[in-house]
Amino acid sequence: MAATKTRISSFSRNISAVSAPQLPGIKCGPNGTFFVSSGIPDLDKILGGGFALGSLVMIMEDAEAPHHMLLLRNFMSQGLVQNQPLLYASPAKDPRGFLGTLPCPSSSKDEKSRNHDTEQEKGLRIAWQYKKYFSENIDDHKDSKQEFCNDFDLRKPLERHFYSGQRVDCVSIKDSPNPATLHDRCATFLAQFPRNDGSFSCMGRIAIQSLCAPQCELSNMDWDILSFIRSLKSMLRSANAVSIITFPPSLLSPSFCKRWQHMADVLLSVKAIPDEDKELGKLLTGYQDMVGFLNVHKIARINTQVPMILEATTFSIKLQKRRFIVLECLNQAPIDGSSGTSYGTSGGCSGSSKSGALDF
Amino acid sequence: MENRALNLLEEALGLGYQTDPWPLRGKVVLIEDCVETSGCFVLHQLLKRTLSSQSPNNTVIFLAFSHPLSHYDRILRKLGCNLVAQRENGRFFFFDMLKLLCPDEKEERNGKGGFISLYWKIQNTIRALPENNKNHATIMIDDMSLMEVAAHGSSDHVLDFMHYCHTLTSELGCSLITLNHEDIYTSMERPAFMLQIKYLVDVLIKAEPLATGLAADVHGQLTVLNWGFCNVKGSSNNKISNFHFKVKENSVEYFYPGTRT
């Protein structure tokens, strides 16, 4: 037997809880992973906590509607609000202009009114003498929740000071002859956040929009782009960062599309909702409020072999009060065709469809 | 030593009937999966089984194109296998290929160069093993589609590399176990690469989703096609098995459809 200090038992204590984060935007996940917020509270819940640090998220766009931009904007804003440097690449000539469209976190008054309804209903179920303890939990929960994930108000633009200055690096991929420039920028960016076994000095986010868009010369370089993605993924594994890549799958050949999908740790797709589709309207409740669909194809399994099976993989994207993105499970409309209110789906996501309604 | 019952996967692969020689010796095993259902757990199970104490002569050379060592280490620990300790004991060799890239400016020579030097490394590692273990090496690759990306699309180079490794199976009795994503190739018009690989394969393990969709209790189905399966009596025939599986943190459950209570 070797006299070294290697552990023989397969039981390993999770020591990462100690170093968890002094950084507000990171929380501990299972199996030694850490989560950062996607910027959309419902999406964090669906994914089991958020985006795993070091993972590559891919969003498949729908050519008919720019819903992937909703996810991208919230992701970028969330990072900026938490002081995380951002690298943004897009096929636009001047990507910096896009930063002006990023949403601002909503003021706390709005946020409390949104969460309070559901919390109050839960409160009714608690016997009166315990209510004081429960309300304390709500406050604590909300405070820590605010630090980790914000509710973004799509109608308010992000304050300029968040993205001016050195914290945001923008790259245009429009005229790049090959992915090398983008690759080098990503490499220099990620070199700022090396992962050193649990200590967090800072973390960063990379957002790459429409990577194989037709207006870029890159779109003809199938293998070069794949090489770049693979390289980015390996760099992410040794850095404290998360990256989102959006791409239009219809522009790739089916075989390459599958290759991209296999490279992703988290794979999402967005779909537009046809306007005034009467059949769909009869089938689903709340159809008029829906903006699009979000499909969850794959969830990151870092450091584990167990797949995460969701109760539902398709969610409707709605804009609550035209300001906040919510993701809801799809519910079938009552058979008689009258729309009415959906069964307790306010703010819920992949939970049961009966949450919130008091059935006697 | 362990008299536990075999699970369905081990039965299908003939892993229970004999431990010496190792039933997968000299065989090429291909694990196929798709986006919906990942087959990496089969690789983990085979890795654990190969390194188990029942067969102390086995060594594993792991070519990792997909994940770093920390990922596999954590997973295998929960399965009861300590990769770091095995590495120090000279039974596990981890080749981190995450950054292996064949530069695109240089021509084919260097593209091939990356894989040729990799092959020499593998061969030298095997040659350097103690005498007992030389014929009990297993080469594991995770995964083959990323080898094509590293080769910048030159499937010929990857094919050549696989042929080189195949010679090791016939000359030295090594096993070759590799993971590949089958849905990439089914969408191609002429998947010449896959057809050539399949010609080399002795055992094919396919992980697919259930036809009925997602379920929390059943994660998918495995189909094992074992050509040249040696049964108890020693005669060789082809064996096809199909069963369902559920992946857990520290084990995988295999069961026939409808037998789960």
Side-chain angles (χ1 to χ4, degrees):
Chain A
M1 279 268 260
T4 49
K5 286 293 263 175
T6 48
R7 276 183 258 141
I8 300 168
S9 79
S10 58
F11 186 88
S12 58
R13 195 193 313 158
N14 185 10
I15 53 172
S16 51
V18 174
S19 57
Q22 279 85 51
L23 283 182
I26 306 183
K27 71 180 182 194
C28 278
N31 305 312
T33 52
F34 296 94
F35 284 127
V36 298
S37 171
S38 59
I40 303 173
D42 285 343
L43 185 56
D44 286 347
K45 262 190 257 162
I46 291 171
L47 295 177
F51 292 145
L53 200 60
S55 65
L56 176 63
V57 181
M58 288 210 194
I59 303 178
M60 298 198 279
E61 306 171 8
D62 184 351
E64 301 192 9
H67 297 318
H68 58 281
M69 305 298 282
L70 293 173
L71 304 177
L72 204 62
R73 281 197 193 101
N74 278 41
F75 173 75
M76 290 164 68
S77 282
Q78 182 68 73
L80 291 174
V81 155
Q82 284 166 346
N83 251 320
Q84 296 158 6
L86 171 70
L87 174 67
Y88 171 59
S90 91
K93 247 193 153 58
D94 180 27
R96 224 163 233 282
F98 179 67
L99 302 176
T101 65
L102 295 179
C104 186
S106 67
S107 58
S108 48
K109 196 175 66 159
D110 290 328
E111 212 176 324
K112 285 211 167 94
S113 68
R114 174 167 122 87
N115 285 331
H116 211 54
D117 297 336
T118 39
E119 301 301 342
Q120 272 212 333
E121 284 177 28
K122 282 189 195 154
L124 285 174
R125 295 174 187 249
I126 307 291
W128 67 269
Q129 67 260 39
Y130 299 118
K131 200 168 177 188
K132 56 175 176 167
Y133 300 116
F134 191 67
S135 57
E136 271 171 26
N137 284 343
I138 297 181
D139 288 340
D140 283 345
H141 184 61
K142 271 212 286 248
D143 280 340
S144 60
K145 209 175 143 211
Q146 269 175 357
E147 279 195 353
F148 179 71
C149 178
N150 297 82
D151 259 325
F152 287 96
D153 184 345
L154 298 179
R155 283 186 162 184
K156 269 168 57 182
L158 191 61
E159 286 145 36
R160 201 165 263 278
H161 69 88
F162 279 116
Y163 55 83
S164 58
Q166 298 305 311
R167 221 177 313 143
V168 184
D169 194 9
C170 290
V171 184
S172 168
I173 52 179
K174 184 164 199 291
D175 297 317
S176 298
N178 57 42
T181 4
L182 181 57
H183 178 266
D184 293 336
R185 294 287 276 274
C186 288
T188 17
F189 180 76
L190 289 174
Q192 304 169 58
F193 324 105
R195 193 180 302 192
N196 296 322
D197 282 334
S199 65
F200 288 101
S201 45
C202 53
M203 66 152 283
R205 297 185 183 219
I206 297 183
I208 302 178
Q209 181 195 325
S210 301
L211 185 53
C212 57
Q215 58 263 44
C216 309
E217 285 180 42
L218 287 182
S219 54
N220 295 328
M221 314 184 76
D222 291 327
W223 289 104
D224 293 89
I225 299 194
L226 268 181
S227 231
F228 160 71
I229 296 176
R230 175 172 166 253
S231 188
L232 175 64
K233 202 169 159 187
S234 73
M235 289 193 287
L236 282 172
R237 287 307 203 110
S238 47
N240 288 331
V242 177
S243 174
I244 284 193
I245 297 183
T246 77
F247 69 99
S250 48
L251 294 179
L252 292 171
S253 70
S255 143
F256 273 95
C257 191
K258 282 289 172 191
R259 285 188 194 268
W260 284 56
Q261 291 177 22
H262 274 290
M263 294 246 205
D265 291 311
V266 179
L267 183 64
L268 308 169
S269 69
V270 288
K271 250 196 142 50
I273 283 203
D275 279 330
E276 308 288 329
D277 187 330
K278 294 213 172 75
E279 290 210 9
L280 213 53
K282 272 193 229 161
L283 204 56
L284 301 168
T285 46
Y287 165 73
Q288 309 89 302
D289 304 322
M290 292 183 196
V291 170
F293 291 125
L294 175 79
N295 249 299
V296 180
H297 298 274
K298 210 167 144 185
I299 297 189
R301 300 328 285 155
I302 298 181
N303 292 347
T304 177
Q305 64 177 7
V306 183
M308 186 166 166
I309 307 288
L310 301 177
E311 280 185 26
T313 55
T314 307
F315 301 90
S316 61
I317 307 175
K318 290 189 184 175
L319 293 180
Q320 198 184 54
K321 297 182 193 166
R322 303 201 188 188
R323 289 165 151 201
F324 308 106
I325 300 178
V326 293
L327 300 171
E328 292 179 2
C329 264
L330 300 179
N331 280 302
Q332 273 192 292
I335 301 176
D336 62 8
S338 61
S339 51
T341 48
S342 51
Y343 291 107
T345 52
S346 51
C349 43
S350 69
S352 76
S353 56
K354 289 202 253 130
S355 62
L358 293 173
D359 292 317
F360 290 101
Chain B
M1 274 179 266
E2 277 179 58
N3 281 332
R4 57 181 179 81
L6 293 178
N7 62 39
L8 288 176
L9 178 63
E10 290 166 340
E11 265 185 45
L13 295 174
L15 288 182
Y17 296 117
Q18 48 192 10
T19 46
D20 190 26
W22 176 239
L24 292 179
R25 188 161 171 258
K27 298 249 175 99
V28 178
V29 180
L30 176 64
I31 306 167
E32 286 190 330
D33 69 358
C34 48
V35 176
E36 297 82 20
T37 307
S38 168
C40 59
F41 69 93
V42 181
L43 200 63
H44 304 149
Q45 291 271 282
L46 290 178
L47 178 56
K48 177 202 165 185
R49 199 68 173 74
T50 311
L51 288 176
S52 76
S53 50
Q54 280 182 312
S55 335
N57 293 335
N58 284 349
T59 46
V60 173
I61 299 173
F62 200 96
L63 307 182
F65 287 86
S66 199
H67 300 286
L69 178 60
S70 53
H71 171 90
Y72 299 104
D73 187 35
R74 273 196 115 99
I75 296 176
L76 268 289
R77 262 182 221 262
K78 290 184 207 145
L79 294 177
C81 176
N82 189 331
L83 289 182
V84 175
Q86 299 282 19
R87 187 167 61 166
E88 287 173 12
N89 291 342
R91 288 187 70 197
F92 179 71
F93 298 88
F94 188 83
F95 290 6
D96 186 326
M97 306 270 99
L98 263 75
K99 300 218 162 85
L100 174 72
L101 270 181
C102 308
D104 41 26
E105 283 119 44
K106 320 254 170 90
E107 283 303 329
E108 292 166 19
R109 269 204 81 215
N110 268 19
K112 226 171 174 157
F115 282 113
I116 286 193
S117 60
L118 177 60
Y119 173 71
W120 283 120
K121 228 171 135 189
I122 295 174
Q123 202 185 45
N124 291 339
T125 309
I126 296 180
R127 296 245 159 96
L129 289 176
E131 207 47 53
N132 281 347
N133 299 2
K134 266 204 185 45
N135 297 341
H136 294 80
T138 300
I139 304 170
M140 291 195 178
I141 304 180
D142 180 10
D143 60 70
M144 221 160 41
S145 64
L146 290 176
M147 282 174 71
E148 283 187 280
V149 178
H152 229 78
S154 330
S155 327
D156 289 341
H157 296 156
V158 182
L159 208 48
D160 288 342
F161 176 78
M162 296 303 287
H163 278 296
Y164 293 149
C165 290
H166 186 240
T167 59
L168 290 176
T169 62
S170 37
E171 279 178 17
L172 298 176
C174 302
S175 324
L176 179 58
I177 302 179
T178 170
L179 174 65
N180 200 6
H181 304 305
E182 164 253 353
D183 50 0
I184 294 175
Y185 302 94
T186 49
S187 17
M188 283 170 74
E189 287 169 0
R190 267 177 286 133
F193 173 69
M194 264 331 279
L195 291 176
Q196 300 225 25
I197 294 284
K198 287 212 173 154
Y199 189 68
L200 302 173
V201 166
D202 299 299
V203 182
L204 177 64
I205 306 176
K206 264 181 97 135
E208 288 168 307
L210 296 178
T212 44
L214 293 176
D217 286 333
V218 183
H219 292 160
Q221 55 177 325
L222 272 188
T223 310
V224 182
L225 292 107
N226 194 343
W227 293 277
F229 172 81
C230 277
N231 61 18
V232 191
K233 298 195 191 116
S235 57
S236 169
N237 51 14
N238 296 343
K239 185 178 163 90
I240 298 184
S241 324
N242 176 272
F243 42 88
H244 291 180
F245 63 87
K246 176 177 174 178
V247 185
K248 305 203 297 211
E249 286 290 351
N250 47 20
S251 66
V252 181
E253 281 180 21
Y254 305 98
F255 44 90
Y256 288 117
T259 54
R260 263 193 80 99
T261 45

